[in-house]
PDB file of all heavy atoms in Angstrom:
ATOM      1  N   GLY B1231      17.328   6.762   4.824  1.00  0.00           N
ATOM      2  CA  GLY B1231      16.295   7.748   4.528  1.00  0.00           C
ATOM      3  C   GLY B1231      16.899   9.067   4.112  1.00  0.00           C
ATOM      4  O   GLY B1231      16.509   9.657   3.097  1.00  0.00           O
ATOM      5  N   ILE B1232      17.919   9.528   4.860  1.00  0.00           N
ATOM      6  CA  ILE B1232      18.552  10.810   4.549  1.00  0.00           C
ATOM      7  C   ILE B1232      19.254  10.754   3.194  1.00  0.00           C
ATOM      8  O   ILE B1232      19.120  11.653   2.363  1.00  0.00           O
ATOM      9  CB  ILE B1232      19.535  11.191   5.671  1.00  0.00           C
ATOM     10  CG1 ILE B1232      18.771  11.456   6.945  1.00  0.00           C
ATOM     11  CG2 ILE B1232      20.328  12.404   5.305  1.00  0.00           C
ATOM     12  CD1 ILE B1232      19.650  11.612   8.143  1.00  0.00           C
ATOM     13  N   LEU B1233      20.005   9.663   2.937  1.00  0.00           N
ATOM     14  CA  LEU B1233      20.760   9.575   1.675  1.00  0.00           C
ATOM     15  C   LEU B1233      19.830   9.510   0.473  1.00  0.00           C
ATOM     16  O   LEU B1233      20.105  10.127  -0.563  1.00  0.00           O
ATOM     17  CB  LEU B1233      21.668   8.355   1.703  1.00  0.00           C
ATOM     18  CG  LEU B1233      22.946   8.542   2.492  1.00  0.00           C
ATOM     19  CD1 LEU B1233      23.787   7.313   2.394  1.00  0.00           C
ATOM     20  CD2 LEU B1233      23.708   9.716   1.968  1.00  0.00           C
ATOM     21  N   SER B1234      18.705   8.783   0.614  1.00  0.00           N
ATOM     22  CA  SER B1234      17.768   8.679  -0.502  1.00  0.00           C
ATOM     23  C   SER B1234      17.165  10.043  -0.827  1.00  0.00           C
ATOM     24  O   SER B1234      17.031  10.421  -2.005  1.00  0.00           O
ATOM     25  CB  SER B1234      16.688   7.673  -0.143  1.00  0.00           C
ATOM     26  OG  SER B1234      15.589   7.829  -0.966  1.00  0.00           O
ATOM     27  N   PHE B1235      16.844  10.829   0.228  1.00  0.00           N
ATOM     28  CA  PHE B1235      16.268  12.154  -0.016  1.00  0.00           C
ATOM     29  C   PHE B1235      17.273  13.082  -0.696  1.00  0.00           C
ATOM     30  O   PHE B1235      16.929  13.811  -1.634  1.00  0.00           O
ATOM     31  CB  PHE B1235      15.791  12.759   1.296  1.00  0.00           C
ATOM     32  CG  PHE B1235      15.276  14.151   1.154  1.00  0.00           C
ATOM     33  CD1 PHE B1235      14.173  14.406   0.356  1.00  0.00           C
ATOM     34  CD2 PHE B1235      15.889  15.206   1.789  1.00  0.00           C
ATOM     35  CE1 PHE B1235      13.702  15.688   0.214  1.00  0.00           C
ATOM     36  CE2 PHE B1235      15.417  16.480   1.644  1.00  0.00           C
ATOM     37  CZ  PHE B1235      14.326  16.718   0.854  1.00  0.00           C
ATOM     38  N   ILE B1236      18.533  13.025  -0.247  1.00  0.00           N
ATOM     39  CA  ILE B1236      19.548  13.896  -0.855  1.00  0.00           C
ATOM     40  C   ILE B1236      19.767  13.526  -2.322  1.00  0.00           C
ATOM     41  O   ILE B1236      19.880  14.394  -3.192  1.00  0.00           O
ATOM     42  CB  ILE B1236      20.861  13.813  -0.053  1.00  0.00           C
ATOM     43  CG1 ILE B1236      20.666  14.460   1.297  1.00  0.00           C
ATOM     44  CG2 ILE B1236      21.981  14.517  -0.773  1.00  0.00           C
ATOM     45  CD1 ILE B1236      21.855  14.318   2.174  1.00  0.00           C
ATOM     46  N   GLY B1237      19.810  12.220  -2.620  1.00  0.00           N
ATOM     47  CA  GLY B1237      19.984  11.779  -4.003  1.00  0.00           C
ATOM     48  C   GLY B1237      18.857  12.230  -4.894  1.00  0.00           C
ATOM     49  O   GLY B1237      19.088  12.721  -6.010  1.00  0.00           O
ATOM     50  N   THR B1238      17.610  12.100  -4.405  1.00  0.00           N
ATOM     51  CA  THR B1238      16.465  12.524  -5.213  1.00  0.00           C
ATOM     52  C   THR B1238      16.495  14.017  -5.478  1.00  0.00           C
ATOM     53  O   THR B1238      16.254  14.481  -6.598  1.00  0.00           O
ATOM     54  CB  THR B1238      15.175  12.158  -4.480  1.00  0.00           C
ATOM     55  OG1 THR B1238      15.220  10.799  -4.139  1.00  0.00           O
ATOM     56  CG2 THR B1238      13.978  12.418  -5.339  1.00  0.00           C
ATOM     57  N   THR B1239      16.841  14.803  -4.431  1.00  0.00           N
ATOM     58  CA  THR B1239      16.891  16.251  -4.603  1.00  0.00           C
ATOM     59  C   THR B1239      17.955  16.654  -5.618  1.00  0.00           C
ATOM     60  O   THR B1239      17.704  17.510  -6.486  1.00  0.00           O
ATOM     61  CB  THR B1239      17.204  16.911  -3.254  1.00  0.00           C
ATOM     62  OG1 THR B1239      16.358  16.337  -2.279  1.00  0.00           O
ATOM     63  CG2 THR B1239      16.976  18.377  -3.311  1.00  0.00           C
ATOM     64  N   ALA B1240      19.134  16.025  -5.527  1.00  0.00           N
ATOM     65  CA  ALA B1240      20.216  16.378  -6.449  1.00  0.00           C
ATOM     66  C   ALA B1240      19.854  16.015  -7.877  1.00  0.00           C
ATOM     67  O   ALA B1240      20.080  16.812  -8.805  1.00  0.00           O
ATOM     68  CB  ALA B1240      21.492  15.674  -6.031  1.00  0.00           C
ATOM     69  N   PHE B1241      19.263  14.832  -8.082  1.00  0.00           N
ATOM     70  CA  PHE B1241      18.878  14.413  -9.429  1.00  0.00           C
ATOM     71  C   PHE B1241      17.849  15.363 -10.024  1.00  0.00           C
ATOM     72  O   PHE B1241      17.967  15.785 -11.180  1.00  0.00           O
ATOM     73  CB  PHE B1241      18.269  13.012  -9.392  1.00  0.00           C
ATOM     74  CG  PHE B1241      19.222  11.934  -9.756  1.00  0.00           C
ATOM     75  CD1 PHE B1241      19.409  10.842  -8.937  1.00  0.00           C
ATOM     76  CD2 PHE B1241      19.914  11.991 -10.938  1.00  0.00           C
ATOM     77  CE1 PHE B1241      20.281   9.849  -9.273  1.00  0.00           C
ATOM     78  CE2 PHE B1241      20.785  10.992 -11.283  1.00  0.00           C
ATOM     79  CZ  PHE B1241      20.968   9.917 -10.438  1.00  0.00           C
TER      80      PHE B1241
END
Side-chain angles (χ1 to χ4, degrees):
Chain B
I1232 294 170
L1233 281 183
S1234 162
F1235 176 62
I1236 291 175
T1238 308
T1239 313
F1241 262 128

